[in-house]
Amino acid sequence: MSEFLGKDFLLDTDLSKKLYEHAKKMPIFDFHCHLVPEQIYKDYQFKNITEAWLGANHYGDHYKWRLMREFGVDESYITGDKPDRERYNKFAEVMPYMVGNPIYVWTHLELRKYFGITKTLSPETADEIWEETSRQLKTLTARKMMEINNVETVFTTDDPIDDLHYHELMAKDPSLKTKVCPAWRPDKAINVERDSFLPWLHQLEKVVNRPIKSLKDLLDALDERLKFFVDHGCAASDHALDVVHYKKNTTYEEANQVFLKGLKGDPITLEDQDIYKGYLLAHLGRQYHKYNMVQEYHIGALRNNSSRMFKVLGPDTGYDATYDQPVAEKLSALLDDLDSTDELPKTVLFSLNSSDYPSLVSLMNCFQGNIKGKPFKGKIQLGTSWWFEDTIPGMRKQLEFLANDGLISCFIGMLTDSRSFLSYPRHDLFRRLVCQYLAKQVEEGLYPNDEELLCKIVEDISYNNANEYFKR
């Protein structure tokens, strides 16, 4: 029987342990997260572990919220206004019943990494753990949480209308040891069918100080804002595509007609979405290529499934699920559109449905090649297991598909995709699995015991590949 989260957990061979010695020393390059820039700049101090774990004001860790709901915890203890200590106690009550769920492992990795607490969380230990974490959180601030994990670079998630005020301040702050860059998230410009489109468009008009009455006006405004982001260190875009929309040979006039429908609040059909969204994504993709940026496509989320709770809590509160629509045909056409003019940027393809992995990993290798005329390693990437796939089996499956049909040695590795400063031990869990996987190849006689080369591959997947990939 293995020790619970012992120093060698998941490292079941001597070789995997040797490889991990190289993995654990590498910095973290977190190229997609939902941390709040203001909290990083102001070195936010959490008032207690409840705020750090469960969040406040409908902003927090919906992974945990979902499990508490499933256990029958009243919503007032999850996102509601119950006192923080009572909310924490409810979380502690559910914790022992999370066997097999990654939240159980993540929570205890966080207790060990940040607070040196090796006891498991339960109603019996809740008081002691509350007191100890409260004591340490008096000095354990947001920046220190990042420093503890050797976080070198972070990409936040930012709307085109954001003023990037805190990014500007952080760029001038010599005391900040982590490089914090904005990432461009233009979903509200693309989702023309949603009620949020028009209010957002009016906000964009105020930012660029001119009316937006046509699709050309919108494209010009987006181009202006993208240049602003690039000037502030932006090296990546991030798109929550959910479903890939694209229609071949769309003209500007066709796309503009859909935009005008959106401007009037008229109904938008699925065909309209294929026309408008595909045209906009192709335009933006060429802009990303121009600036040598990376585009990240997150595919396969079915969002806001409970309309009742959406009215109460809004989006991103734990009511999303995995989509099961086909992705390959329209995604291929979109990538080919960009590639046909040699303007396909570096692209990372994520899916929330692991059944898409065979399509994505085979499709990505149809579009590898140069960047601006120069050879580039791993131009198109299969993104790491994400969200509901961010589990030990999910990460193993992603690694296996990538290695079987591509080059795992080119992989840009892990990200947190998190709203929590406590999430960085997930990188350690991922690195252990990479070491275990590579060592298993040697153990089963499928790869020679070339320890020097394997150590290099581990270091590359842990940090080096991402650091090189996101350079502009």
Side-chain angles (χ1 to χ4, degrees):
M1 180 184 298
S2 299
E3 177 188 357
F4 174 61
L5 298 183
K7 69 180 184 69
D8 293 329
F9 80 96
L10 295 176
L11 306 175
D12 47 10
T13 64
D14 288 340
L15 180 57
S16 64
K17 295 172 187 176
K18 290 179 181 178
L19 296 179
Y20 177 67
E21 291 302 312
H22 289 261
K24 72 179 183 180
K25 71 180 183 182
M26 302 305 291
I28 287 176
F29 196 119
D30 197 26
F31 54 89
H32 175 61
C33 75
H34 297 276
L35 297 179
V36 179
E38 180 180 0
Q39 290 184 335
I40 302 175
Y41 174 70
K42 293 184 176 179
D43 199 15
Y44 189 78
Q45 182 178 352
F46 294 92
K47 59 184 179 181
N48 53 49
I49 194 64
T50 305
E51 186 186 12
W53 265 345
L54 299 180
N57 301 319
H58 302 174
Y59 184 87
D61 193 340
H62 46 77
Y63 291 85
K64 297 181 177 73
W65 297 347
R66 290 166 65 93
L67 299 186
M68 295 173 73
R69 289 172 186 141
E70 186 176 353
F71 199 73
V73 175
D74 187 81
E75 191 67 30
S76 61
Y77 294 96
I78 302 171
T79 59
D81 57 1
K82 291 290 187 181
D84 283 350
R85 182 60 191 271
E86 293 182 22
R87 296 174 65 208
Y88 163 82
N89 285 343
K90 288 292 184 181
F91 181 57
E93 181 182 329
V94 181
M95 180 58 59
Y97 296 94
M98 294 185 187
V99 56
N101 191 283
I103 295 295
Y104 191 87
V105 174
W106 293 350
T107 298
H108 291 99
L109 285 176
E110 291 165 10
L111 286 174
R112 289 167 182 245
K113 182 70 175 183
Y114 295 97
F115 305 101
I117 296 172
T118 58
K119 291 185 177 181
T120 56
L121 179 62
S122 69
E124 291 71 32
T125 61
D127 288 348
E128 181 182 353
I129 290 175
W130 174 271
E131 295 301 327
E132 180 59 21
T133 54
S134 296
R135 183 185 68 81
Q136 294 196 44
L137 282 171
K138 293 176 181 177
T139 55
L140 182 59
T141 59
R143 292 191 187 188
K144 288 182 181 177
M145 291 176 184
M146 300 169 81
E147 291 169 13
I148 286 172
N149 289 280
N150 195 17
V151 181
E152 183 194 82
T153 303
V154 163
F155 290 176
T156 57
T157 302
D158 307 279
D159 191 282
I161 64 174
D162 289 346
D163 63 11
L164 304 184
H165 171 66
Y166 289 105
H167 288 89
E168 290 181 347
L169 294 176
M170 285 187 283
K172 300 173 183 177
D173 184 355
S175 68
L176 179 59
K177 297 180 181 179
T178 299
K179 182 179 180 182
V180 183
C181 303
W184 168 266
R185 180 78 169 240
D187 293 349
K188 291 179 180 177
I190 293 172
N191 293 328
V192 65
E193 80 285 7
R194 295 188 184 176
D195 293 340
S196 57
F197 178 73
L198 270 178
W200 178 86
L201 194 67
H202 294 322
Q203 289 180 288
L204 179 62
E205 289 177 321
K206 293 178 181 178
V207 171
V208 297
N209 196 29
R210 59 181 181 272
I212 297 175
K213 300 299 183 183
S214 68
L215 178 57
K216 183 179 184 306
D217 292 340
L218 174 61
L219 297 179
D220 288 345
L222 290 173
D223 291 351
E224 177 183 317
R225 296 304 298 165
L226 182 60
K227 177 62 165 58
F228 175 77
F229 270 58
V230 169
D231 289 343
H232 285 75
C234 179
S237 69
D238 178 69
H239 295 262
L241 295 188
D242 299 345
V243 177
V244 180
H245 286 283
Y246 181 81
K247 184 174 183 293
K248 286 186 176 181
N249 303 317
T250 292
T251 65
Y252 168 81
E253 288 73 21
E254 291 172 322
N256 187 49
Q257 285 304 310
V258 179
F259 171 82
L260 294 176
K261 280 188 177 183
L263 202 61
K264 292 184 290 185
D266 291 346
I268 303 293
T269 67
L270 289 176
E271 183 179 3
D272 288 338
Q273 291 184 56
D274 284 347
I275 290 170
Y276 174 83
K277 293 184 178 183
Y279 190 90
L280 208 56
L281 287 169
H283 173 87
L284 289 171
R286 290 185 166 87
Q287 291 295 105
Y288 304 151
H289 177 268
K290 172 184 173 181
Y291 293 117
N292 198 24
M293 291 173 57
V294 175
Q295 62 180 9
E296 299 178 33
Y297 286 171
H298 285 82
I299 302 166
L302 185 63
R303 298 179 187 270
N304 306 317
N305 291 279
S306 172
S307 57
R308 176 178 61 86
M309 292 308 295
F310 180 79
K311 293 176 183 176
V312 176
L313 299 177
D316 304 320
T317 50
Y319 293 93
D320 304 325
T322 300
Y323 219 158
D324 58 355
Q325 279 205 8
V327 301
E329 185 176 4
K330 290 181 180 179
L331 177 60
S332 173
L334 172 58
L335 297 177
D336 186 58
D337 185 342
L338 294 166
D339 188 60
S340 66
T341 56
D342 199 18
E343 293 176 286
L344 176 62
K346 293 174 283 186
T347 302
V348 188
L349 303 173
F350 298 86
S351 179
L352 198 53
N353 191 333
S354 61
S355 63
D356 293 335
Y357 287 164
S359 295
L360 295 183
V361 75
S362 58
L363 186 62
M364 78 179 195
N365 277 338
C366 297
F367 294 101
Q368 304 289 5
N370 295 347
I371 294 289
K372 295 185 179 294
K374 297 181 180 179
F376 192 86
K377 181 175 69 174
K379 173 181 174 179
I380 314 298
Q381 294 273 332
L382 176 68
T384 190
S385 51
W386 162 56
W387 201 343
F388 298 121
E389 297 291 341
D390 189 6
T391 64
I392 289 175
M395 285 187 272
R396 283 176 173 152
K397 185 182 293 187
Q398 193 269 357
L399 291 172
E400 287 172 359
F401 273 108
L402 179 56
N404 286 340
D405 293 326
L407 288 176
I408 195 173
S409 56
C410 294
F411 184 32
I412 57 174
M414 186 61 171
L415 48 79
T416 58
D417 185 35
S418 177
R419 291 161 172 77
S420 172
F421 287 90
L422 295 176
S423 293
Y424 289 107
R426 297 181 196 179
H427 281 262
D428 181 70
L429 187 64
F430 165 80
R431 292 175 182 187
R432 288 173 181 267
L433 287 169
V434 170
C435 294
Q436 183 191 61
Y437 177 82
L438 294 177
K440 185 178 179 182
Q441 300 301 301
V442 175
E443 181 184 2
E444 295 182 351
L446 300 174
Y447 193 86
N449 190 10
D450 187 339
E451 190 174 314
E452 182 178 355
L453 180 55
L454 287 168
C455 288
K456 181 183 184 304
I457 291 173
V458 164
E459 291 177 358
D460 288 346
I461 295 172
S462 298
Y463 167 77
N464 292 333
N465 288 343
N467 185 52
E468 185 64 31
Y469 189 76
F470 286 94
K471 286 181 180 176
R472 287 215 321 266

